[in-house]
Amino acid sequence: MRRDSALSDGTAGVSDVTRNGAAPTSTAEGAARRSAVAEEQAFLDLATARRDRLAEHLQVELSAAARDPLERARQRMLRHQYDELRRARDGLVFGRLDGLDGTVRHVGRVGLREDGEDGEPLLVDWRAPAARPFYTATAVDPQGLARRRHIRTRGSTVVGVDDEPLDGTVTADLVGEGALLAALDQRRTGRMPTAISTLQREQDDIIRAEASGPLIVQGGPGTGKTVVALHRVAYLLFAHRTMADQAVLVLGPSPRFLEYIAQVLPALGETAVVAATCDSLLPGIQVGRDESRLLAEIKGRALWQIALESYVTSLLPRPRELRLRWAGEFYVITAATVAQALASAVQGRPYHRARAAFAEQLHHLLAEVVVEQREALMDEMEEGFEDILARVDRDMRHDHHSGRTSTGSDIDGLLSEEEIEHLRDRIAENATIARFVEAWWPTLDAETLLGELLTDRTLLARFAPQLSPEEIAAVSAEPAGWASSDIPLLDALAELLGEVHAPQPQGEFVADRARRQRGWVYGHVVVDEAQELSEMQWHMVLRRCPSRSITAVGDIDQAEAAHRHTSWAQAVHAVLGDRWTAAELTICYRTPREVMALTEPVLKKAGSHNTSPRAVRSSGVAPWELTVTPAELAGTAAHAVRRLQQRWQGGTVGVIAPAERIAELLAVLSDVPVLTATQSKGLEWDATLLIDLHGIADEPRGWNGLYVALTRCTQELGQLIVTRRSPHP
């Protein structure tokens, strides 16, 4: 399997390959090619030696114990540099730019300088501005270059080069076509590789786009959406160093997807990244049951955000007169004063933070009332009420065990500022006052609160009046446990309630700290398969990145979620409004032309108004189909998979079928993934066996699912057409 990507770093099978993949046509050309390979081998050896020396130096630096926080911060930076160099063993150098002025720059995974403090640049980091022409220069726009060279390596050996003259002669519409097509023709391994050596211009434009607001990237199958999204993370962390202090969140559609992309960003040298699904964003909360598409659609609507806000607001205490006991006496805080304190405490704060703010004000208010009453009593004392004075001295006597010198009330009966402050502290620490605040403004739990709301038809009708009686009945009848669509509701409630005691995030790395904290604010969020997000899930995304530095990639035509959105404008309007930028990937690198030709009628039946991406490669293998009866299905599928595995030895084969046939197929297919169309989203194999097309099309949003299923292969597509009934003898 391989994620919905355009490209992969890879090597050709031979060392002599021309721009179009054909063998050299003359002895002179072959000799020139061998000379170029030898030249680049010498440079790779030089760069590798320099990388090794730097890594050894950093290892020595890291062996010393850090003595203070500043030294620990420095060692974290050195550790990042060391890890980046260590991961750059493979594909250290992959490109070269020859300028019209005779300058030569090599491009690679990391930046290296020659020996010496003031050494000249030896290797340009692919993320640096100086490397951008490697991805964007064309014969029409050479950007000061005479030639671009793609260098293919296997381990520490240069195995091939692709030279592109940039002299104004247009020979191809792809950058590094030979290297690109060689990479695409490689066998799939079940893991997504990096693609920094073969990114194309429209991909690079998105990778380096500004990150100041939401960017929504539409891309059909095989256009490299995920490659672009992940390489954009690496670029942003390189270009905006402070972003690493906040970490980047990568949201994927499934754990299988996260496993598939797990090594891409570390291979690019990035560790300040948290990968998750929407279901796993809440620490300690797990999805425990499935739910119907109807309920998923209802609970995914944006109306819940307002409903939950109103629900929590209704739980705030109402202003009233408060009668508090302190030191044996009762003191009254008026309703008007309480109302003013409440308004000041709330001011947009979450429920528990507002309560903490109110409690702090209450401590001051009670102290003021106590002081005022004491002063009133002192005034009465001056008129001769010695008995009142005795009571005041008894109730308000400052800690007589402290051994302090006589001041304030010891002299004239009035409290000093220091004594008043001490009184506030005593009130704040008093357990009786704390119990009163808890009873009047109780601590709430998001899970308990949501459970009460979702099972109470009266509450649902009050706070979500947009729901019909039938929808309210459906929601309130749900069984116990959390479904996927409950997670965004829990997240919204947790945000509205706030932490009772904000935890201090622990961990050496920022990603570890961010992963443990629900309320962590990220520097950037990437959403893959973004067309599947509900409106409430979009709220989850925005909550984690209020700066709106978001990159969302997906294909609206592959949407299979329960929501009814058929355009990006519909999908994001409830949360982002019109404040987002659109971009598009138009070239299909993965799926061969032979397969893409099958997708147009499927797209039309799915209701799409988009144009399929343009396929740039041919596998030379025509899609085939075989009609079988239900009784023949399992055996025929097993035989077909074995044949595909033999033909694509060293690669991968995947099987896609309707949900109702998965169990039957798993019984006979134990060594290949057998998935529904939804589960296969974002994955790819060398060969795909597609079973029961009509059964997939009959599923909810089935034509969208069939579009997904058709476009998972990089080489060969086989189809088993299952008859609806066994033929008569």
Side-chain angles (χ1 to χ4, degrees), residues 423-471:
L423 173 62
R424 293 192 192 106
D425 292 342
R426 290 167 59 203
I427 290 173
E429 295 167 0
N430 185 269
T432 302
I433 300 298
R435 285 193 295 271
F436 174 85
V437 172
E438 175 64 28
W440 190 62
W441 195 326
T443 301
L444 298 177
D445 173 70
E447 291 188 72
T448 302
L449 209 58
L450 184 61
E452 292 173 353
L453 174 64
L454 295 182
T455 55
D456 190 321
R457 298 189 184 189
T458 302
L459 288 178
L460 287 171
R462 176 183 171 190
F463 294 110
Q466 302 94 324
L467 297 179
S468 69
E470 293 76 18
E471 290 171 334

Side-chain angles (χ1 to χ4, degrees), residues 2-7 180 184 195 198-200 202-204 206-207 217-229 553-555 558 583-591 596 611-616 684 707 711-712:
R2 182 166 177 265
R3 169 69 194 141
D4 189 29
S5 66
L7 325 160
L180 170 62
L184 292 173
T198 47
L199 292 170
Q200 299 298 293
E202 71 174 11
Q203 297 173 320
D204 188 73
I206 292 170
I207 288 170
V217 181
Q218 163 65 27
T223 54
K225 298 183 291 295
T226 299
V227 158
V228 166
V553 301
D555 181 3
Q558 294 186 52
E584 188 174 7
L585 295 167
T586 63
I587 301 173
C588 174
Y589 307 95
R590 178 191 64 213
T591 311
M596 288 303 294
T611 302
S612 295
R614 178 170 59 91
V616 295
E684 65 177 33
Y707 181 53
T711 54
R712 298 304 97 195

Side-chain angles (χ1 to χ4, degrees), residues 423-639:
L423 173 62
R424 293 192 192 106
D425 292 342
R426 290 167 59 203
I427 290 173
E429 295 167 0
N430 185 269
T432 302
I433 300 298
R435 285 193 295 271
F436 174 85
V437 172
E438 175 64 28
W440 190 62
W441 195 326
T443 301
L444 298 177
D445 173 70
E447 291 188 72
T448 302
L449 209 58
L450 184 61
E452 292 173 353
L453 174 64
L454 295 182
T455 55
D456 190 321
R457 298 189 184 189
T458 302
L459 288 178
L460 287 171
R462 176 183 171 190
F463 294 110
Q466 302 94 324
L467 297 179
S468 69
E470 293 76 18
E471 290 171 334
I472 289 175
V475 170
S476 62
E478 282 191 286
W482 300 124
S484 180
S485 66
D486 293 317
I487 302 302
L489 306 187
L490 277 171
D491 187 60
L493 263 181
E495 181 76 8
L496 291 166
L497 293 177
E499 301 286 350
V500 179
H501 302 289
Q504 293 299 314
Q506 302 295 318
E508 180 182 359
F509 298 105
V510 64
D512 295 329
R513 299 197 300 272
R515 192 177 289 109
R516 296 189 184 104
Q517 240 190 336
R518 186 210 63 81
W520 188 274
V521 174
Y522 290 88
H524 191 79
V525 176
V526 167
V527 186
D528 200 294
E529 301 293 351
Q531 74 278 357
E532 304 300 337
L533 265 61
S534 69
E535 291 171 340
M536 286 303 294
Q537 286 173 327
W538 274 109
H539 273 295
M540 288 183 80
V541 172
L542 194 59
R543 213 169 280 131
R544 282 155 179 78
C545 193
S547 68
R548 293 176 170 244
S549 183
I550 299 167
T551 300
V553 301
D555 181 3
I556 202 69
D557 291 326
Q558 294 186 52
E560 293 183 89
H563 59 66
R564 301 164 185 171
H565 308 137
T566 57
S567 71
W568 286 112
Q570 291 176 335
V572 303
H573 180 77
V575 180
L576 302 181
D578 297 325
R579 297 170 56 192
W580 55 280
T581 302
E584 188 174 7
L585 295 167
T586 63
I587 301 173
C588 174
Y589 307 95
R590 178 191 64 213
T591 311
R593 293 190 190 98
E594 293 88 344
V595 175
M596 288 303 294
L598 303 177
T599 62
E600 186 175 350
V602 174
L603 270 181
K604 287 182 178 178
K605 290 181 178 179
S608 170
H609 301 289
N610 296 320
T611 302
S612 295
R614 178 170 59 91
V616 295
R617 56 184 285 273
S618 170
S619 67
V621 182
W624 54 268
E625 62 180 48
L626 181 65
T627 300
V628 297
T629 66
E632 298 168 331
L633 175 59
T636 305
H639 178 72

Side-chain angles (χ1 to χ4, degrees), residues 371-385:
V371 170
E372 288 173 1
Q373 188 159 325
R374 178 192 175 95
E375 291 177 349
L377 291 174
M378 292 304 297
D379 289 341
E380 293 180 15
M381 178 200 69
E382 292 177 359
E383 298 177 6
F385 294 100

